[in-house]
Amino acid sequence: MRGTIVMNTGSIRVLLDPGRFFEERMQDEPGLKIPALIVLVYGLISAVAAALAVNMVIAILPAEAQAFGAIGVAFAVVGAVIMGFLAWIFCAAVFYIFSMLFKGKGSFTRTLEFTGYGLLPQIFGGIIGTAFSYQVISNLTIPPVTNPEQIAEISESLAGIIAADPLTQIAGLLGILFILWSANIWIFGMRYARNLSTRDAALTVGIPVALYIAYTLITLVGWL
């Protein structure tokens, strides 16, 4: 028990001193337990945000259809957790493939491990984003639905209102900052996991992250 607590506390060091953290981790065998726990927490936070969105949609539905709301929330929660793990694997695969361009050497398991540690800032970003989403959604006025044809129209209208809300825009910009924080951790992680130079590690991580940030900014601007 004591060893687990010490290990979990030590993992927080990756936020402030990722280079030394990953250098020390390379002395041990790859381990996915703590990275998986980080991803699980991130997925659960995303699940809360998903549940909020689904509850908003349920409120639009006719009374007889709202009885199935619990099922929709359950699917949203489970789906958000699964997507968290898929995102982890996807990011690790992208970094692994990009690092091959620079003759990276190292196992995919190690890459997966270090990518998981790099998702730690996303927990903080997820908490802030969920809090903002709750604030925005709780202030919405949902009009009554008199016929099924209105459901799609009202849903689209509410989605536009949420996306254009200043809090949503701020959450999106803060999300980019947390992605940059993760990217900094990933650079050091790929440097050690794939035995790369700092430059090559920066390119391995920087190219896909830059594309993601560009997409995010385009989406935010599109709603302004």
Side-chain angles (χ1 to χ4, degrees), residues 150-164:
Q150 289 181 307
I151 295 176
E153 180 182 346
I154 294 175
S155 297
E156 184 177 351
S157 175
L158 290 175
I161 293 172
I162 292 172

Side-chain angles (χ1 to χ4, degrees), residues 51-129:
L52 289 173
V54 171
N55 278 325
M56 181 191 69
V57 175
I58 292 173
I60 301 173
L61 300 176
E64 58 272 15
Q66 292 184 12
F68 300 96
I71 298 176
V73 172
F75 272 108
V77 168
V78 173
V81 173
I82 292 175
M83 286 302 297
F85 280 92
L86 291 178
W88 174 28
I89 296 171
F90 176 78
C91 288
V94 169
F95 295 153
Y96 190 86
I97 292 171
F98 266 85
S99 67
M100 292 173 64
L101 301 175
F102 306 105
K103 304 186 186 318
K105 297 179 181 178
S107 70
F108 179 74
T109 302
R110 182 68 84 180
T111 301
L112 187 64
E113 176 191 7
F114 286 4
T115 301
Y117 280 112
L119 286 169
L120 190 55
Q122 300 310 304
I123 292 178
F124 306 117
I127 292 173
I128 294 175

Side-chain angles (χ1 to χ4, degrees), residues 92-196:
V94 169
F95 295 153
Y96 190 86
I97 292 171
F98 266 85
S99 67
M100 292 173 64
L101 301 175
F102 306 105
K103 304 186 186 318
K105 297 179 181 178
S107 70
F108 179 74
T109 302
R110 182 68 84 180
T111 301
L112 187 64
E113 176 191 7
F114 286 4
T115 301
Y117 280 112
L119 286 169
L120 190 55
Q122 300 310 304
I123 292 178
F124 306 117
I127 292 173
I128 294 175
T130 300
F132 281 16
S133 294
Y134 173 78
Q135 186 65 33
V136 172
I137 292 175
S138 63
N139 289 330
L140 287 176
T141 300
I142 300 177
V145 175
T146 57
N147 60 74
E149 288 74 17
Q150 289 181 307
I151 295 176
E153 180 182 346
I154 294 175
S155 297
E156 184 177 351
S157 175
L158 290 175
I161 293 172
I162 292 172
D165 190 284
L167 280 180
T168 302
Q169 301 291 329
I170 293 171
L173 294 175
L174 288 176
I176 291 175
L177 294 179
F178 283 107
I179 283 291
L180 291 174
W181 191 358
S182 286
N184 179 65
I185 295 173
W186 285 329
I187 289 171
F188 287 99
M190 293 309 103
R191 176 185 171 190
Y192 287 99
R194 297 291 286 155
N195 193 27
L196 299 170

